[in-house]
Amino acid sequence: FRRAREIAERLEDPERVGQVLYALAYLHEVRGEYPRAQDMVRRRLALCEQAPDERGRLEAHDLLSCSLLHEGNFREALTSAEQALETLRAADLECADFNPHHPGVSARYWAGIASWFLGRSDRGLALVREARQRAAEIRHLPTLAFAESRVARLHHFRREADLCAA
């Protein structure tokens, strides 16, 4: 990824640089290197400001909300998830080819979990249910599995064991 970034920067291709930054951010995120992941995502967001890239902005805010949530920064995670959803609505992005799952679904989940941690349990549950509903509408099985597991997780947090398996 570092080499790909060097090449994209040398070619002055902001779209490719943004894609590589996202890939690096994702790598750092799954390694638990949240500050590094957030740095890469914020760089991608800056590129999206220079050359409008709504899809890039959506992906970046989705991953940033994930990283901030894992770091325990719930207010900023909620803000970033809401910015992802606003980008999705404003740009009217279809997102059919996102992998591994639809960022509009995951952004609702991150917003829901952040809301739960901020003491808004009912709002959190409504958001993860919206995520599941949207996943069912788009009929993308990995996204639906993601959403179902996230609804179960919030029921677990709420100590609703009987609803975890529903």
Side-chain angles (χ1 to χ4, degrees), residues 38-114:
Q38 293 163 27
D39 178 56
M40 296 292 155
V41 171
R42 287 187 172 107
R43 289 182 193 188
R44 184 170 192 191
L45 284 169
L47 284 175
C48 292
E49 294 300 319
Q50 294 171 10
D53 176 4
E54 297 308 308
R55 181 186 173 118
R57 185 184 333 278
L58 172 61
E59 288 177 333
H61 276 298
D62 179 49
L63 183 55
L64 184 58
S65 63
C66 168
S67 186
L68 290 164
L69 185 113
H70 287 141
E71 191 177 53
N73 192 337
F74 307 122
R75 286 195 200 294
E76 283 189 50
L78 179 59
T79 298
S80 195
E82 289 170 343
Q83 288 172 325
L85 293 170
E86 180 54 37
T87 299
L88 183 65
R89 282 188 291 273
D92 195 31
L93 295 170
E94 176 55 37
C95 307
D97 62 343
F98 279 96
N99 240 334
H101 46 75
H102 190 295
V105 172
S106 58
R108 284 178 177 87
Y109 166 72
W110 301 127
I113 295 299

Side-chain angles (χ1 to χ4, degrees), residues 4-165:
R5 181 178 173 191
E6 289 172 16
I7 293 169
E9 287 174 343
R10 196 168 337 124
L11 293 172
E12 297 180 7
D13 185 342
E15 182 180 343
R16 296 284 183 248
V17 172
Q19 291 169 345
V20 173
L21 286 171
Y22 180 80
L24 282 165
Y26 195 87
L27 177 67
H28 291 302
E29 176 64 23
V30 298
R31 287 180 171 176
E33 300 167 349
Y34 306 126
R36 291 182 79 184
Q38 293 163 27
D39 178 56
M40 296 292 155
V41 171
R42 287 187 172 107
R43 289 182 193 188
R44 184 170 192 191
L45 284 169
L47 284 175
C48 292
E49 294 300 319
Q50 294 171 10
D53 176 4
E54 297 308 308
R55 181 186 173 118
R57 185 184 333 278
L58 172 61
E59 288 177 333
H61 276 298
D62 179 49
L63 183 55
L64 184 58
S65 63
C66 168
S67 186
L68 290 164
L69 185 113
H70 287 141
E71 191 177 53
N73 192 337
F74 307 122
R75 286 195 200 294
E76 283 189 50
L78 179 59
T79 298
S80 195
E82 289 170 343
Q83 288 172 325
L85 293 170
E86 180 54 37
T87 299
L88 183 65
R89 282 188 291 273
D92 195 31
L93 295 170
E94 176 55 37
C95 307
D97 62 343
F98 279 96
N99 240 334
H101 46 75
H102 190 295
V105 172
S106 58
R108 284 178 177 87
Y109 166 72
W110 301 127
I113 295 299
S115 294
W116 183 85
F117 277 110
L118 292 169
R120 301 180 204 135
S121 179
D122 291 341
R123 177 69 180 139
L125 184 58
L127 283 162
V128 297
R129 285 181 173 164
E130 282 178 30
R132 180 176 55 194
Q133 177 62 35
R134 182 66 184 123
E137 290 168 3
I138 63 174
R139 297 181 179 190
H140 182 251
L141 291 179
T143 297
L144 185 56
F146 173 86
E148 289 289 355
S149 69
R150 286 1 191 220
V151 171
R153 181 173 289 165
L154 193 61
H155 283 304
H156 172 79
F157 288 168
R158 291 168 50 107
R159 299 177 187 227
E160 298 167 336
D162 55 323
L163 296 175
C164 287

